[in-house]
Amino acid sequence: MRSLILKEIDELIYGSLGIIIFISFFIGGVVSIQTALNITNPLIPRNLIGFATRQSVILEFAPTFTSIIMAGKVGSYITSSIGTMRVTEQIDALEVMGVNSLNYLVFPKIIAMLMYPFAIAIAMYVGILGGWIAGVFGGFSSSADFVEGLQLDFIPYHVVYSFIKTILFALVIATVPSFHGYYMKGGALEVGKASTTAFVWTSVVIIILNYILTQLLLG
Amino acid sequence: MITVENIHKTFGDTHVLKGISTTFDTGKTNLIIGQSGSGKTVFLKCLLGLFTPEEGSIDYDGKTYSELTSAEKRDLRQEMGMVFQGSALFDSMTVEGNVMFPLGMFTKQSKSEMQDRVGFVLKRVNLIDAHHKYPSEISGGMQKRVAIARAIVMNPKYLFCDEPNSGLDPKTAILIDNLIKEITEEYDITTVINTHDMNSVMEIGEKIVFLKNGIKEWEGSKNEIFKTDNEAVTNFVYSSELFKKVRQMYIEERN
């Protein structure tokens, strides 16, 4: 079981770091530029760019936006890999051998996804870094103003809130696609359909859960 | 020995198995034959415990499956080997990994002991140089051999095969049939094969159960199938011109 969990961490988390870093860097940069371009009043301090980037990235872009992307990347992978095993009777083979197939296939994925907050922590860091690079090297803000904005009115609970969301999103990303893959019926075409359905439902659950958690934890 | 007593299985409004009773003897290759949709696969899945019949019982050497606890059922399943129609090899594992999988799950053998055992069974099914290949890198016949190796690696008491030679050329199909027969006799296994391949019936059918619309229409040996007057059996078995001629020659020779 330990080797299975390590394999899943490699495939689900480590294998997704590239896309997470890429997206976070540019999203952070865009947030920084958009904020700068919308500050037209000279009375508004320039440190708002760093402040807005930090808040946007930590509260929403890193945990929620990245999770929607992961629902597509990791969720589709989970549904299609388990669904293909169903179609090709590999799950039946596990059952005949006396292996609890649900436990064997899904449990390691749930445990592996508990590492997801580490990926989101990287997304937060890279997102803010992207914002800083875009803001400073784009000529929208000085480095000192940006860093001052990053430190302005920082509430550590916002990071806690963000990680609580991340853990729950990780469970959704592991379980909803697994359900759609494990209980699918049909052939190769249905594997594709199940992957699409799994992505849609995972995204819907994440967005609704995001609303409920924000209301409960920050409202 | 497997004893099946009056089993019924329905899916919604469809009554698939309608009171089948039979026995499958130890050390023999027992064949289930019948047309597509006759209930062969459902019957085999009931024997494997993948489907639970609504009525009737299945005994494995005196142990009634429905009366076993979950732990006992798990133990019994470890005594079963299964060769699926599409081989059902794990794509992410090599040939060696596939065959080693049950050993890793259910025994406390060291890696070298497991490798020895895997090497032995792969040699038994005449696969020597494929240990580190993935299922996608080997032919259909080799995949079937790997599936057989995986099914016998735990020394099962019961071996089930769902159309083991479907999709294979006639020569490879006969090799696979003979391999299953040899293994059955060598290890004294109760083997049940689901097939509609008449070559298999004539080659290895020591006991044949013919299903039609979920009912056991006929049972007997491959020699008895030549003599039977059961119209459903003769229409099914001798549907090809070749087999019609073979039967005609047999009858003429006997007379």
Side-chain angles (χ1 to χ4, degrees), chain A residues 107-204:
Chain A
F107 180 71
K109 290 178 173 56
I110 292 174
I111 299 298
M113 284 305 284
L114 293 178
M115 297 289 122
Y116 185 50
F118 290 102
I120 294 302
I122 293 170
M124 288 175 182
Y125 176 80
V126 174
I128 291 171
L129 179 70
W132 179 79
I133 290 172
V136 174
F137 292 96
F140 299 107
S141 166
S142 69
S143 181
D145 279 344
F146 193 92
V147 173
E148 188 188 330
L150 286 182
Q151 295 171 338
L152 184 70
D153 291 336
F154 176 66
I155 301 168
Y157 177 69
H158 284 174
V159 179
V160 175
Y161 152 79
S162 189
F163 280 125
I164 291 171
K165 284 205 304 189
T166 303
I167 289 171
L168 289 167
F169 292 164
L171 294 176
V172 171
I173 292 169
T175 52
V176 174
S178 294
F179 172 83
H180 283 280
Y182 191 84
Y183 291 105
M184 68 147 294
K185 287 188 173 81
L189 185 64
E190 280 73 18
V191 174
K193 284 181 183 169
S195 296
T196 310
T197 310
F199 169 64
V200 170
W201 277 109
T202 309
S203 305
V204 167

Side-chain angles (χ1 to χ4, degrees), chain B residues 141-206:
Chain B
M142 288 166 88
Q143 287 181 10
K144 284 279 156 61
R145 287 165 194 262
V146 178
I148 293 169
R150 185 176 69 180
I152 63 169
V153 74
M154 294 279 285
N155 277 326
K157 285 171 76 176
Y158 314 99
L159 178 64
F160 300 94
C161 308
D162 189 11
E163 308 211 4
N165 44 24
S166 70
L168 301 178
D169 63 86
K171 196 176 173 188
T172 311
I174 288 171
L175 283 173
I176 294 290
D177 279 342
N178 288 332
L179 180 63
I180 293 170
K181 190 171 191 302
E182 283 166 26
I183 287 168
T184 300
E185 287 166 1
E186 200 173 315
Y187 300 106
D188 204 26
I189 301 171
T190 306
T191 296
V192 181
I193 301 171
N194 199 349
T195 187
H196 50 223
D197 180 5
M198 285 309 109
N199 283 325
S200 298
V201 173
M202 299 309 174
E203 282 286 328
I204 59 170
E206 290 176 281

Side-chain angles (χ1 to χ4, degrees), chain A residues 7 84-85 88-99 104, chain B residues 45 48 50 74 77-78 82 84 88-91 101 105-106 150:
Chain A
K7 186 169 160 279
T84 304
M85 288 186 76
T88 55
E89 296 182 305
Q90 292 176 47
I91 292 178
D92 284 344
L94 286 170
E95 290 289 329
V96 169
M97 286 177 205
V99 177
Y104 178 81
Chain B
K45 288 195 172 180
L48 285 159
L50 292 175
R74 200 169 52 239
R77 280 187 171 176
Q78 286 167 31
M82 171 74 189
F84 285 87
L89 300 178
F90 304 125
D91 302 322
F101 182 81
M105 288 297 286
F106 302 113
R150 185 176 69 180

Side-chain angles (χ1 to χ4, degrees), chain A residues 27-39 49 53 131 134-135 138 140:
Chain A
I27 287 290
V30 168
V31 169
S32 176
I33 294 169
Q34 292 278 20
T35 310
L37 293 177
N38 282 285
I39 300 173
I49 299 169
T53 304
F140 299 107

